[in-house]
Amino acid sequence: MNATSGPHPAGALLLCRAEPPAVRPPAQLLRERLLLAPAGDDWSVLVPEGTPWLHGGEPVEQVVTGWATALAVPAAGRPVVALWWDRDRAGLTLAAGFRRTVGYTWLADGTPVGEDEAMRTFAARLALDPVLDVQALEPLTRPDPDADAHSRLLGVVAVLGRAGLALPTGLAPGESAERLRSVALAEGAEQLEGSGSGVSAAGTQLKAWGMDAVRAELDVVEGSPLGPYLRGPRARLLGGAQLVAGVPLLLWGLGRRSGGWATAGALLVAHGALGLVYDRLREG
């Protein structure tokens, strides 16, 4: 598996089912160094620097699951697929709105350790073809002595290609974070600068995110079919749900020193609170 070569084998790619202009605002709120590039018809890819798992000691799967959850919330209806890998395993995580994340894992030698139902749910939530695409995903859940974890992820990318995904040339799962960033920059990816890192800044970022989050929400939502959720009964219901989900998630992430989950919780709280404030201001 390619990911086992080099001093830092762990890496990840975040595949967002939205164009870069819609992905940029919520991605900037993650406060991480990310590269953003178009990746086909109505797809974008985010390439992280990987600091939380390269230097912070957090499992890459845990970090990117939190990021995917945070990215999927402000762009409700626009799923995010996180592909991740390390020396021992590789896998995928799908986040879509407030639904529970769906994941599947393979050992480094390609041995499936996930549940078949998870892969079928993955296909359904991405609105993939229930026959052709599901049939193409099924071999990835079966033992194959000739397929390692790297080839399994390439298989997932190939299936998503039927739904319009087209990664920039040379950008493929299994490489180190450093290699991925080098390739993405060479292909003209946009660099999104963050300030702060995960757990150490998650608690204080809530105050700082005020205007940034308002601008991000307005940029993404006002010009979309989600506009009614900015104000009125739907907005209040959504804001309350985000607070209910975000507060315990933020506290749990801080307690576990998990930057990914703390960031996801902080984003939920920020979006929920700002949504309620915006609705009240417009009401007045």
Side-chain angles (χ1 to χ4, degrees):
M1 177 178 176
N2 289 350
T4 60
S5 62
H8 302 304
L13 292 172
L14 293 162
L15 313 177
C16 308
R17 200 162 194 182
E19 298 289 343
V23 175
R24 186 181 299 109
Q28 288 174 323
L29 293 180
L30 288 177
R31 306 287 176 169
E32 297 287 343
R33 291 174 61 86
L34 302 166
L35 297 179
L36 172 65
D41 185 16
D42 202 31
W43 284 88
S44 302
V45 59
L46 286 167
V47 183
E49 185 178 62
T51 301
W53 57 84
L54 295 182
H55 306 298
E58 293 187 57
V60 60
E61 176 186 10
Q62 181 174 300
V63 174
V64 299
T65 296
W67 287 351
T69 301
L71 287 168
V73 169
R78 291 168 174 167
V80 177
V81 180
L83 302 181
W84 58 269
W85 55 92
D86 57 27
R87 291 187 185 277
D88 303 315
R89 302 179 305 150
L92 62 84
T93 299
L94 169 66
F98 291 105
R99 299 189 212 180
R100 184 176 180 180
T101 57
V102 176
Y104 198 92
T105 305
W106 297 270
L107 300 182
D109 63 3
T111 301
V113 291
E115 298 180 1
D116 293 352
E117 183 61 32
M119 195 64 83
R120 287 191 287 269
T121 303
F122 172 80
R125 290 189 184 175
L126 283 174
L128 302 180
D129 189 288
V131 178
L132 297 178
D133 291 338
V134 171
Q135 287 179 348
L137 288 170
E138 284 179 350
L140 303 178
T141 66
R142 299 171 185 161
D144 184 348
D146 297 322
D148 61 8
H150 178 215
S151 64
R152 300 290 197 178
L153 293 180
L154 291 177
V156 173
V157 170
V159 174
L160 294 180
R162 302 177 185 221
L165 176 70
L167 290 174
T169 303
L171 199 66
E175 299 289 349
S176 68
E178 182 180 355
R179 166 66 178 167
L180 291 174
R181 287 180 63 84
S182 175
V183 170
L185 286 171
E187 290 295 314
E190 172 189 357
Q191 186 152 335
L192 305 180
E193 294 290 342
S195 59
S197 58
V199 124
S200 62
T204 58
Q205 281 173 352
L206 288 176
K207 294 180 180 179
W209 282 354
M211 292 306 297
D212 288 341
V214 170
R215 293 190 190 99
E217 287 297 275
L218 292 178
D219 289 341
V220 175
V221 182
E222 280 193 345
S224 76
L226 298 177
Y229 289 92
L230 273 175
R231 59 179 301 194
R234 291 183 180 180
R236 291 189 289 273
L237 180 62
L238 178 61
Q242 288 175 322
L243 286 174
V244 169
V247 171
L249 186 61
L250 173 60
L251 295 176
W252 185 87
L254 290 172
R256 294 294 187 90
R257 296 186 177 276
S258 170
W261 285 113
T263 300
L267 276 176
L268 281 170
V269 172
H271 281 288
L274 287 167
L276 293 175
V277 169
Y278 181 81
D279 175 72
R280 173 158 295 203
L281 290 174
R282 290 295 296 271
E283 188 74 20

